[in-house]
């Protein structure tokens, strides 16, 4: 008789563990950032972002084509030569990590007229193409904006 009472109890405990495990996956998916989240955070740092959509042949990473924005900053020394940001919004943080590795493989040994600076948060990869390698203008605003994102 004791065994017949234990079997339903074990079944209920297994179901509870399964539900708790599934709810953790849902919580992880809730941390996915959107393009709007990231753009809003950057604009809060007084950056003027102008959407370029898809221009030319941007580098596709893990089947994700970036959204391209130009940056208009009052401190910019060359308004005729804007800097660009590519936003890669992946389905998960794991995909973003794979995309970053893919990006690094693609640029190995490449010579650019602008210099890529990578910033990562959750499922987002930001590639800031600076006109200067030594003193990129937007490092601090981008890092501050990403810290604000939850």
């Amino acid at each position: 008789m004791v065994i017949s009472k234990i079997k339903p109890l074990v079944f209920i405990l297994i179901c509870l563990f399964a539900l708790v495990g599934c709810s953790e996956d849902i919580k992880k998916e809730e941390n996915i950032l959107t393009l709007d989240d990231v753009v809003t955070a950057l604009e809060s740092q007084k950056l003027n972002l102008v959407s370029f959509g898809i221009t030319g042949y941007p580098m596709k990473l893990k089947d994700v084509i970036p959204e391209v924005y130009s940056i208009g900053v009052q401190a910019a020394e060359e308004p005729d030569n804007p800097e660009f940001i590519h936003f890669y919004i992946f389905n998960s943080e794991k995909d973003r990590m794979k995309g970053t590795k893919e990006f690094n493989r693609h640029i190995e040994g490449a010579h650019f007229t602008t210099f890529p600076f990578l910033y990562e948060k959750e499922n987002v990869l930001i590639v800031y193409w600076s006109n200067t390698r030594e003193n990129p203008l937007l490092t601090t605003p981008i890092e501050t904006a990403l810290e604000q994102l939850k």
Side-chain angles (χ1 to χ4, degrees):
M1 246 171 31
V2 175
I3 294 176
S4 64
K5 290 182 182 179
I6 292 176
K7 285 183 182 180
L9 183 61
V10 170
F11 178 73
I12 290 171
L13 286 174
I14 290 172
C15 290
L16 285 174
F17 284 123
L19 289 173
V20 169
C22 291
S23 68
E24 290 298 317
D25 289 340
I26 292 169
K27 286 180 186 174
K28 288 179 186 174
E29 289 180 6
E30 289 175 3
N31 290 335
I32 290 178
L33 298 170
T34 66
L35 178 63
D36 288 338
D37 295 334
V38 179
V39 169
T40 301
L42 286 169
E43 288 177 338
S44 76
Q45 297 301 308
K46 309 291 189 249
L47 295 179
N48 179 24
L49 299 176
V50 178
S51 176
F52 264 59
I54 299 172
T55 59
Y57 300 99
M59 189 183 312
K60 187 167 136 178
L61 303 173
K62 296 294 297 170
D63 292 326
V64 174
I65 298 172
E67 288 290 328
V68 179
Y69 282 71
S70 70
I71 306 164
V73 180
Q74 292 177 359
E77 297 171 7
E78 299 178 39
D80 295 336
N81 190 16
E83 295 181 323
F84 291 92
I85 294 183
H86 290 189
F87 295 100
Y88 291 90
I89 311 298
F90 295 95
N91 291 326
S92 68
E93 186 172 359
K94 186 178 177 180
D95 285 347
R96 187 254 312 146
M97 291 173 11
K98 290 177 183 177
T100 301
K101 286 180 184 177
E102 187 177 337
F103 180 87
N104 288 328
R105 274 195 313 269
H106 282 303
I107 66 166
E108 233 174 65
H111 299 285
F112 297 107
T113 56
T114 58
F115 305 96
F117 290 87
L118 277 58
Y119 303 90
E120 301 172 85
K121 177 81 174 205
E122 304 290 337
N123 61 305
V124 176
L125 170 64
I126 297 174
V127 181
Y128 162 45
W129 294 92
S130 175
N131 291 332
T132 174
R133 176 181 286 167
E134 294 79 30
N135 190 19
L137 294 173
L138 303 178
T139 297
T140 302
I142 292 172
E143 290 173 351
T144 303
L146 289 178
E147 287 174 13
Q148 291 175 354
L149 291 170
K150 295 183 180 189

